[in-house]
Amino acid sequence: MANYNFEDLSYFHQREDGAFVGNDPARGPWSAEHCHAGPVSGLIVRAAETEIGPEKMLTRLTVDLLRPLPLAGLRVAAETTRHNRTLATTRVTVHDLDDTLCATATTMHLVRRDLGVVPNVKTRPLRFEDAVEGPFPIGELRHDLPGFAHYSDIRYGAGDRHGVGPKTVWMRTPNLLEGEVQSPIQSICALGDCGNGISWNAPTAEMGFMNTDLTINIHREPTSDWLASQSISHWQPSGIGMSQSVLHDSQGPVGTALQTIVLFPPK
């Protein structure tokens, strides 16, 4: 995707009554009327961060996807379930405009401290300079409208290419909400929900793969516009699978993402 100004793109706009309406970039690949879960996870993080405040950093997000998430409108609400000097937790719900529950989530937030220099493992950052352009990892769509794949800028890690199996993909994505600067954790949610789509083991014409949940753990807030996911998927004959991703910015790893996957042969 090369001809869009990312500064002018956003996944959602907000109505006067507070509901979030999906723009084209939020549209998922399987239905023209429903959102990709990654941008909605960003809305969940936004609600939780607003609820807890900036003194604590969101370190864990777990989303259970209960039913499709309509582009036509979503209502997101967060409530504090625990809050002390060290940590806070929330419960977040996502309803459609008919008040049907579509997703639930929990978050954990830890207080920020300044400890100076601390011992840490040494890792070699991924080199964005070595990445090469390529198509969106999933090429199949079940509608003809523009969506998430069309508004995601993609690069493949050195030695990787489009196709089956584990790989590293760099992604640059639109802003979460029109007229608002997204937080660092909000910015990584779209990529975090792409692990199964990055590392699929067979094309969707041979095997469908849909995630039922998403858990993101963050140990450092990302700082770059381009973010990377090193992803691998494990598929089992039981019809159950899992994707595992290490999430990076230009400086190194920032966290992980896990998805539980349901496999379904094409009809």
Side-chain angles (χ1 to χ4, degrees):
M1 202 210 84
N3 297 320
Y4 294 95
N5 184 352
F6 273 79
E7 295 180 357
D8 297 331
L9 294 176
S10 61
Y11 285 125
F12 297 97
H13 63 275
Q14 192 169 20
R15 301 192 326 191
E16 290 185 2
D17 64 359
F20 299 97
V21 179
N23 300 325
D24 283 344
R27 181 177 289 108
W30 311 130
S31 167
E33 299 177 352
H34 295 107
C35 297
H36 190 287
V40 178
S41 297
L43 290 179
I44 291 170
V45 168
R46 178 182 180 273
E49 289 181 329
T50 300
E51 174 74 6
I52 297 303
E55 295 79 14
K56 294 181 172 67
M57 187 184 95
L58 189 147
T59 57
R60 178 183 53 77
L61 165 71
T62 298
V63 182
D64 289 325
L65 301 168
L66 307 179
R67 50 182 48 86
L69 303 153
L71 280 166
L74 297 168
R75 302 188 188 279
V76 184
E79 61 176 343
T80 300
T81 53
R82 183 184 181 188
H83 203 156
N84 58 38
R85 287 184 296 178
T86 301
L87 64 85
T89 57
T90 74
R91 180 178 184 269
V92 185
T93 56
V94 181
H95 290 81
D96 65 18
L97 298 181
D98 294 325
D99 205 32
T100 301
L101 184 63
C102 297
T104 62
T106 59
T107 67
M108 177 173 288
H109 310 243
L110 295 180
V111 68
R112 292 178 174 85
R113 296 189 175 99
D114 184 3
L115 301 183
V117 178
V118 298
N120 194 20
V121 64
K122 298 295 184 181
T123 60
R124 180 179 297 178
L126 299 177
R127 283 178 51 85
F128 178 75
E129 296 83 357
D130 297 333
V132 296
E133 289 189 45
F136 192 81
I138 296 181
E140 300 90 352
L141 298 175
R142 296 183 180 174
H143 57 76
D144 297 325
L145 295 179
F148 185 88
H150 300 94
Y151 296 94
S152 298
D153 210 348
I154 301 296
R155 302 287 188 276
Y156 285 81
D160 289 327
R161 59 185 176 83
H162 182 264
V164 299
K167 63 184 69 69
T168 297
V169 166
W170 289 87
M171 187 178 294
R172 183 175 60 160
T173 58
N175 192 52
L176 179 64
L177 188 63
E178 284 183 12
E180 184 176 294
V181 177
Q182 63 189 351
S183 76
I185 308 298
Q186 292 167 27
S187 72
I188 207 167
C189 288
L191 174 63
D193 191 58
C194 286
N196 62 333
I198 291 171
S199 60
W200 42 274
N201 296 320
T204 56
E206 299 176 16
M207 182 66 68
F209 46 92
M210 182 175 295
N211 63 302
T212 62
D213 63 2
L214 171 66
T215 295
I216 296 177
N217 286 87
I218 299 293
H219 57 83
R220 179 173 64 81
E221 291 173 307
T223 60
S224 56
D225 291 335
W226 283 92
L227 302 169
S229 179
Q230 290 179 305
S231 301
I232 183 172
S233 286
H234 305 276
W235 292 2
Q236 302 302 328
S238 62
I240 298 171
M242 179 179 70
S243 76
Q244 299 169 286
S245 303
V246 179
L247 306 175
H248 298 252
D249 67 2
S250 60
Q251 299 181 44
V254 299
T256 61
L258 295 174
Q259 298 168 303
T260 305
I261 300 172
V262 174
L263 303 175
F264 48 94
K267 296 180 180 179

